[in-house]
Amino acid sequence: MNFKALMLGTALFGAGFSASALAADLTVGFSQIGSESGWRAAETTVSKSEAKKHNVTLKIADAQQKQENQIKAIRSFIAQGVDAIFLAPVVATGWDAVLKEAKEAQIPVVLLDRDIDPAGKDLYLTAVTSDSVHEGAVAGQWLVKTVGTKPCNVVELQGTVGASVATNRKKGFEEGIAGHPNVKIVRSQTGDFTRAKGKEVMESFIKAEGGGKNICAVYAHNDDMMVGAIQAMKEAGLKPGTEILTVSIDAVPDIFKAMAAGEANATVELTPNMAGPALDAVIAYKTKGTVPPKWIQTESKLYTQADNPKAVYESKKDLGY
Ligand code: GZL
């Protein structure tokens, strides 16, 4: 609890200073999952620029996708007496003990881009995430609309096992295709949100499905796994984007490059700027006592080949993905 910042904040606020000036001296510890995807790299880049904009000191700990490293980082932030903790939880369970320690230390925790199990609801201040069930549903509805009544066998590349977004994107996609028995998931396996694993799993799907001729579409829980899958399909002599439809999530630059080349069809956008709204909420909480809503939802937008993918690629390519 940085009392100095609070006293300074109250005094300055009375004198009509803006919230970002009041943030002077706030230190936030960010337990980041790692850099498994282009989207995650962009989230880290944007977090740094948002911290500068908000005049906040941001300490980022990269967990290399291991929960035990995230727990260690949170304990270190508590020991350092940071003013707030940001956590992108690699999986949804196993956080109770360490988040209780943060609560006892009166350090507010904000979840970024992924959730923890609802039982832990009182262990964090707010969660800045998309609606990942909706993302999956948008992907499923696009596929149903695109194939009509044609039979369509789908292979699914799931995100990290146990991650809230993987569970939700699977659930949402199944809701999106419900009521259309001609569209069915014939194989589903985790590619852990990485290009390499996405490629490897897609190679096994191609082998198992008659060299790929039985596959009508690929649904990947993120674009990075899809970029890997596209490589696997091309190496097998298949035509992703035409013979085999693709739909994934994140809207990273490389999926637009593939769309422009006719090798990918659709993606659901996820903003990498979770830190901006999180910093706004923490500053208001620390300087004015404003309690934010439990969920700060970010938008999801569908992009297809009809949305000028080359121009979208140009607009995104320098944003730190
Ligand atoms: C989703 C985020 C996911 C991205 C992946 O909010 O947690 O993690 O979709 C990343 O690219 O690995």
Side-chain angles (χ1 to χ4, degrees):
M1 179 74 160
N2 192 317
F3 197 64
K4 189 165 59 143
L6 193 62
M7 290 318 293
L8 171 68
T10 317
L12 287 174
F13 198 72
F17 280 69
S18 74
S20 51
L22 300 177
D25 256 2
L26 284 187
T27 299
V28 174
F30 178 12
S31 172
Q32 177 59 299
I33 292 175
S35 51
E36 73 284 357
S37 69
W39 183 89
R40 180 77 47 201
E43 185 189 47
T44 299
T45 305
V46 171
S47 302
K48 290 173 184 167
S49 59
E50 285 296 323
K52 273 208 186 73
K53 244 192 260 171
H54 286 74
N55 200 12
V56 165
T57 302
L58 185 68
K59 299 176 170 213
I60 304 178
D62 177 328
Q64 266 106 49
Q65 287 181 271
K66 291 188 173 60
Q67 181 175 30
E68 63 265 26
N69 290 343
Q70 292 201 280
I71 291 170
K72 272 191 213 126
I74 293 169
R75 291 206 161 108
S76 164
F77 291 142
I78 293 169
Q80 295 170 50
V82 297
D83 296 290
I85 290 170
F86 288 178
L87 168 64
V90 60
V91 291
T93 55
W95 302 102
D96 284 9
V98 74
L99 294 187
K100 279 189 182 123
E101 291 166 30
K103 191 165 182 154
E104 272 141 36
Q106 295 186 308
I107 299 176
V109 173
V110 175
L111 303 182
L112 298 194
D113 79 76
R114 295 188 190 177
D115 271 318
I116 62 173
D117 274 1
K121 225 170 172 50
D122 68 339
L123 296 176
Y124 61 86
L125 179 67
T126 185
V128 182
T129 78
S130 60
D131 177 342
S132 42
V133 173
H134 174 65
E135 292 168 334
V138 167
Q141 286 151 8
W142 170 83
L143 184 60
V144 162
K145 197 162 124 273
T146 305
V147 301
T149 53
K150 205 168 68 68
C152 185
N153 288 344
V154 185
V155 292
E156 178 184 24
L157 294 166
Q158 295 182 38
T160 302
V161 176
S164 62
V165 287
T167 308
N168 292 345
R169 286 173 181 172
K170 180 166 188 47
K171 177 167 179 273
F173 186 83
E174 287 162 359
E175 286 169 2
I177 63 172
H180 300 268
N182 57 308
V183 181
K184 60 178 188 298
I185 299 171
V186 293
R187 291 189 185 274
S188 181
Q189 195 178 322
T190 182
D192 210 16
F193 282 131
T194 70
R195 293 189 183 199
K197 202 88 179 77
K199 181 172 189 279
E200 194 187 302
V201 174
M202 189 65 206
E203 284 162 353
S204 70
F205 285 164
I206 290 167
K207 277 202 192 79
E209 291 295 332
K213 61 178 181 320
N214 306 339
I215 300 172
C216 149
V218 187
Y219 166 50
H221 291 186
N222 82 334
D223 292 341
D224 278 64
M225 292 189 290
M226 186 58 85
V227 169
I230 288 167
Q231 218 181 337
M233 286 186 265
K234 287 167 71 176
E235 286 172 7
L238 299 165
K239 293 193 180 64
T242 47
E243 268 173 356
I244 299 180
L245 297 170
T246 78
V247 59
S248 48
I249 299 167
D250 278 353
V252 301
D254 282 350
I255 203 67
F256 291 99
K257 199 189 264 183
M259 272 193 214
E263 295 172 350
N265 300 96
T267 184
V268 182
E269 185 172 47
L270 175 74
T271 175
N273 185 4
M274 305 286 183
L279 288 166
D280 290 340
V282 160
I283 290 167
Y285 181 70
K286 297 294 278 187
T287 56
K288 295 182 284 178
T290 310
V291 180
K294 209 65 189 168
W295 181 22
I296 299 171
Q297 184 183 343
T298 61
E299 293 307 302
S300 310
K301 175 179 166 19
L302 176 71
Y303 281 90
T304 68
Q305 287 184 355
D307 294 306
N308 194 347
K310 194 167 175 343
V312 180
Y313 171 77
E314 289 303 324
S315 73
K316 284 179 172 255
K317 68 181 174 37
D318 302 322
L319 299 182
Y321 285 89

